[in-house]
Amino acid sequence: MGSDGTPSARASAPTPGRHRRTATQRPTSTARPQLHPGAWWLWALALGTAATRTTNPLLLALLVAVSAYVVIARRPHAPWSRSYGAFVKLALAVLLIRLAFTTILGSPIPGTHTLVTLPEIPLPDWAQGIRLGGRVTAEGLTFALYDAMKLAALLVCVGAANALANPSRLLKSLPGALYEMGVAVVVALTFAPNLIADVTRLRAARRLRGRPDKGLRGLLHVGLPVLEGALERSVALAAAMDARGYGRTADVPAAVRRTTAALTLGGLLGVCAGTYGVLTAAGGTYGVPVLVAGLAAALGGLWLGGRRSPRTRYRPDRWDARAWLVTASGVAVAALMFAAASHDPAALHPGVVPLVAPSLPLWPAAAVLLGLLPALITPAPDPAPVKEPS
């Protein structure tokens, strides 16, 4: 206060820090519509299916590049979306391991271009067909590289699905028959960070008290409190779920239950047989029809099984036109790759004996580029939150 009873100039002036904090407040924004997580998985699995139909390294590299571009353009800023790098590292490890096994154990592909000759270890008669060491040919390494790139591209496509699809929203979209499994996975994903935090906290407390936190003794003294805390959380969660009516089932006729079991079991067997036919060259005629029939029967069984689990979904994800387009782009890539494999198999499976440079077939490469459609029609992710200085 001034001498005349009026507020002083210093008291009435606004605080600079407070004014700056008010000016930097982020405006409220409406949530952007997100793509259904199932569409991302169908798109990625279709690209992976296309990768299984070729050993052309140029087409496989193009498939990996397409999936990587979509991940970079549409990956949200979330902790679970960082798994793409781990899948890329796993794919590179698959390549190196396959080449190492071919170098050490040899290859059944005959070759004339010897790169190096390793010391060969003689094996007994019962190990005929297996060798350790010997000649390492360029043809054998090239064949191993082409075959390993197919598996590596499949792993990268699965990693793209993990990086693009929200796992909690995907579990929420599961059919009613898989409701219990979805809840179990959600509980496991929720409690796993708590267990890691408990272990870190207990080890830090033991170090501050001068007690060992490593070795068998430290593991026992840290593991028991962690297990006790996990048991207490499990009992509290079970009580909360029981209070909210978890586990209630509707009364359905016995005929419906038997039909559900038959459709689900038969559908899963059909999916296994169809997948084997799709992935092998000998089953190319029956693989796709058996796979489609198995999927239809399994989906019918899951739909009937969902009648036993009456539940509601809070703000369910909508399967809109963008989800259909994303799924259709991946299915189109797989279908065109199947057609190319039957029309011109030599272009999709370059030979290694004699050793020739692979060529890029034009219309299969153009078909792979259809997988870029999700980067054009799906909304861009929300910008990463900016941390304000304290």
Side-chain angles (χ1 to χ4, degrees):
M1 300 290 289
S3 58
D4 56 352
T6 59
S8 61
R10 180 176 298 178
S12 60
T15 306
R18 186 178 302 170
H19 177 72
R20 187 182 303 114
R21 189 177 299 114
T22 304
T24 55
Q25 288 179 351
R26 288 177 299 176
T28 57
S29 60
T30 58
R32 298 183 182 181
Q34 297 180 348
L35 189 70
H36 196 285
W40 285 124
W41 269 99
L42 292 176
W43 169 82
L45 291 178
L47 291 186
T49 304
T52 61
R53 306 311 300 173
T54 178
T55 56
N56 191 316
L58 301 180
L59 288 177
L60 292 173
L62 187 60
L63 278 169
V64 172
V66 166
S67 65
Y69 179 80
V70 175
V71 169
I72 293 172
R74 293 296 179 260
R75 178 172 56 179
H77 300 281
W80 48 265
S81 64
R82 303 170 187 169
S83 61
Y84 185 72
F87 278 90
V88 172
K89 294 178 182 178
L90 180 60
L92 293 176
V94 167
L95 290 176
L96 295 177
I97 292 174
R98 180 61 189 274
L99 292 177
F101 271 93
T102 303
T103 302
I104 298 173
L105 301 178
S107 174
I109 302 299
T112 57
H113 298 80
T114 303
L115 299 178
V116 65
T117 302
L118 300 177
E120 188 171 355
I121 301 177
L123 297 177
D125 295 337
W126 53 266
Q128 292 293 332
I130 302 175
R131 68 175 178 85
L132 293 176
R135 289 192 318 122
V136 179
T137 61
E139 291 82 356
L141 284 180
T142 304
F143 177 79
L145 178 64
Y146 289 175
D147 200 48
M149 285 186 66
K150 182 166 62 174
L151 179 57
L154 180 59
L155 289 174
V156 171
C157 292
V158 174
N162 278 276
L164 293 169
N166 191 329
S168 60
R169 290 175 52 222
L170 182 64
L171 290 172
K172 187 178 70 173
S173 303
L174 286 176
L178 303 177
Y179 172 59
E180 288 82 2
M181 184 189 73
V183 172
V185 174
V186 169
V187 170
L189 293 176
T190 304
F191 278 0
N194 294 330
L195 292 177
I196 297 174
D198 288 346
V199 171
T200 304
R201 177 175 52 84
L202 290 172
R203 291 185 63 184
R206 290 186 62 83
R207 285 195 299 267
L208 291 175
R209 293 182 176 90
R211 297 176 182 176
D213 62 324
K214 298 180 181 180
L216 181 59
R217 184 178 178 183
L219 178 63
L220 292 176
H221 286 84
V222 171
L224 291 178
V226 170
L227 292 177
E228 182 181 359
L231 182 60
E232 291 178 355
R233 281 193 295 267
S234 301
V235 172
L237 177 64
M241 293 172 67
D242 184 68
R244 288 166 174 81
Y246 175 77
R248 292 179 301 175
T249 57
D251 188 14
V252 296
V256 175
R257 292 199 299 268
R258 288 192 291 267
T259 305
T260 301
L263 286 176
T264 305
L265 183 59
L268 293 178
L269 291 176
V271 168
C272 293
T275 304
Y276 175 78
V278 168
L279 296 178
T280 57
T285 56
Y286 70 87
V288 176
V290 173
L291 179 60
V292 172
L295 284 175
L299 291 176
L302 292 177
W303 179 76
L304 288 177
R307 298 173 60 183
R308 296 184 65 250
S309 301
R311 65 189 182 98
T312 58
R313 290 186 178 94
Y314 179 68
R315 293 182 179 178
D317 292 315
R318 296 177 56 189
W319 191 278
D320 53 6
R322 293 177 306 167
W324 284 113
L325 289 175
V326 170
T327 304
S329 66
V331 173
V333 173
L336 292 175
M337 196 63 69
F338 270 86
S342 60
H343 181 264
D344 190 7
L348 268 66
H349 300 278
V352 296
V353 180
L355 190 62
V356 294
S359 60
L360 180 64
L362 294 182
W363 72 270
V368 173
L369 294 179
L370 292 176
L372 293 173
L373 184 63
L376 304 176
I377 63 174
T378 56
D382 295 329
V386 179
K387 294 183 179 180
E388 299 178 359
S390 57

